[in-house]
Amino acid sequence: MLDLLSVVLLSAGAFFFLAGTVGLLRFPDVYTRLHALTKVDNLGLGFVVLALMLQAGSLAEVLKLALIWGLALAASAAIGYLVAHNALESGVRPWQREPGGPP
């Protein structure tokens, strides 16, 4: 049963990683691309870490995986902020839909 749940969680993680990659390639500006990377990929990482926690052999391994996930979340938030702040200070304006254009 744990193996099946691990497969489901890994599949969900892979789906969110794929969605983040598609967002990176398809979104129109740096700000929306950062959103895809910092939000969706962290959720994908969370599912993968949960699947690995189910397969861990000890509580120490589970805690290490939780620490890795927490550090990845913090690093992603910090890097996302720094990239967006630098882009804004460099004059990169957020994308806006053209009037009368498609939604």
Side-chain angles (χ1 to χ4, degrees):
M1 188 65 182
L2 283 178
D3 290 340
L4 179 63
L5 185 57
S6 293
V7 168
V8 169
L9 289 170
L10 283 172
S11 298
F15 170 77
F16 282 104
F17 279 128
L18 179 65
T21 302
V22 169
L24 175 66
L25 297 174
R26 298 279 300 163
F27 285 159
D29 70 343
V30 66
Y31 305 107
T32 54
R33 289 175 181 165
L34 275 174
H35 178 76
L37 290 178
T38 58
K39 305 295 183 213
V40 179
D41 280 355
N42 283 329
L43 186 58
L45 178 62
F47 282 122
V48 170
V49 167
L50 286 175
L52 291 174
M53 284 179 175
L54 291 176
Q55 299 298 319
S58 67
L59 180 62
E61 290 177 7
V62 170
L63 294 176
K64 287 177 188 177
L65 287 167
L67 179 63
I68 289 168
W69 187 30
L71 291 173
L73 288 172
S76 176
I79 295 300
Y81 169 78
L82 290 172
V83 170
H85 183 73
N86 190 19
L88 191 61
E89 288 205 347
S90 298
V92 177
R93 298 183 49 89
W95 174 80
Q96 291 184 353
R97 187 177 351 166
E98 294 179 17

